[in-house]
Amino acid sequence: MLRAMIVDDEAPARSELRYLLEETGRVDAITEASSAREAVERLMEARADVIFMDISMPKTNGMQLAEALHKLKNPPAVIFVTAYSEYALEAFDVDAIDYLMKPVETERLIQAMDKVQSRVKPQAQSHSSVERIPVVKSGRKVLVPIDQIRYIEAKDDYSCIYTDDDRYLSTISLAKLEQRLAPHGFFRVHRGYIVNLEYVEDVEVVSSGVLQLGINGIEGKKISVSRRRAVALKRALGL
């Protein structure tokens, strides 16, 4: 599974590409940026294996950003996603893996992802810094091993972390926890929930067609899966 970033100054374009990427089942974390500067800031917070970027953007365009990224020691793979065909040759001068035309077709996106996976080895081997998550319990900081976490729920400005026998508050946002925990088998099933796939005990389809998950060790808890995430979740669970 890969970690992806989408860089495009148009929110609808980012949303559409995110949906298509989720449908492929090839990515386990997706971040977004509306400019080259924001993309660099996001990369400082969490690395990406592949960046899907538009070329035509205000100030620093996608081609300039790709040139800058190429100077990194371990640069992410770059795939351009644009409405303009005339930059194709220039794109490969900055070692882009592929060049997709808008609107993106699912089959072409999958072909591009195949190229990425053949060239990129997701760096999930070394995660000692996130083996434990800092939380608050009775007014003091506690470090919770991630393999004890069953699921995480968004609670106002906090994240509520559940183990089989306790509950903790974390000041880390659900979005940042998603980025940090995705390589360890955690999956964001809903805007308000992240689950540890290892502890998913059962998958039920309720009358409205929505999927609900039962969590091992959490009696009586059912977590709803958003319709947009259902297909990718089934693939992640091998269903």
Side-chain angles (χ1 to χ4, degrees):
M1 299 286 277
L2 298 166
R3 285 165 286 186
M5 177 183 291
I6 302 170
V7 185
D8 197 309
D9 60 316
E10 298 182 356
R14 295 197 305 272
S15 179
E16 175 64 18
L17 186 53
R18 170 182 280 272
Y19 173 77
L20 292 175
L21 284 170
E22 290 174 344
E23 287 294 292
T24 68
R26 306 286 188 90
V27 295
D28 54 15
I30 303 174
T31 55
E32 298 183 17
S34 60
S35 67
R37 179 176 179 177
E38 187 179 359
V40 173
E41 292 174 352
R42 293 284 183 269
L43 285 173
M44 292 176 65
E45 297 174 355
R47 69 176 301 278
D49 298 307
V50 56
I51 297 183
F52 295 84
M53 69 172 76
D54 192 10
I55 292 180
S56 179
M57 293 187 294
K59 296 183 179 180
T60 304
N61 63 35
M63 205 67 67
Q64 293 169 322
L65 175 58
E67 290 177 355
L69 294 175
H70 194 54
K71 297 176 183 177
L72 297 176
K73 183 178 180 180
N74 295 302
V78 170
I79 295 177
F80 286 109
V81 183
T82 179
Y84 305 97
S85 60
E86 59 265 31
Y87 297 106
L89 291 178
E90 189 178 350
F92 293 104
D93 287 339
V94 293
D95 201 29
I97 282 185
D98 211 334
Y99 192 97
L100 304 181
M101 296 293 297
K102 296 179 179 179
V104 177
E105 297 179 354
T106 301
E107 184 175 345
R108 274 293 287 122
L109 180 59
I110 291 174
Q111 290 174 3
M113 295 298 289
D114 287 341
K115 294 179 182 179
V116 174
Q117 290 182 309
S118 68
R119 289 181 54 177
V120 176
K121 293 182 179 179
Q123 298 180 5
Q125 292 85 359
S126 176
H127 291 283
S128 57
S129 62
V130 294
E131 289 297 337
R132 297 185 295 175
I133 296 293
V135 298
V136 178
K137 183 67 175 178
S138 301
R140 62 191 180 93
K141 287 284 187 178
V142 179
L143 295 174
V144 176
I146 63 173
D147 59 2
Q148 294 182 11
I149 299 173
R150 262 52 175 180
Y151 71 94
I152 307 172
E153 182 180 5
K155 288 285 189 182
D156 299 323
D157 295 329
Y158 298 89
S159 297
C160 196
I161 295 177
Y162 292 83
T163 63
D164 62 340
D165 60 357
D166 215 334
R167 182 182 68 173
Y168 306 89
L169 284 179
S170 173
T171 56
I172 305 174
S173 70
L174 209 65
K176 289 186 176 180
L177 285 173
E178 177 186 10
Q179 294 173 18
R180 295 175 64 177
L181 294 175
H184 298 278
F186 287 75
F187 192 96
R188 189 163 186 174
V189 299
H190 188 277
R191 64 181 180 181
Y193 287 96
I194 296 172
V195 300
N196 187 340
L197 295 181
E198 182 179 349
Y199 293 109
V200 174
E201 191 171 46
D202 59 79
V203 181
E204 178 185 2
V205 181
V206 297
S207 58
S208 59
V210 173
L211 296 182
Q212 285 191 339
L213 306 179
I215 306 297
N216 190 334
I218 310 293
E219 196 69 31
K221 178 65 178 180
K222 294 292 184 180
I223 297 177
S224 295
V225 180
S226 73
R227 295 183 186 278
R228 289 186 61 179
R229 301 294 287 151
V231 173
L233 175 66
K234 287 180 179 179
R235 286 180 179 146
L237 291 172
L239 300 177

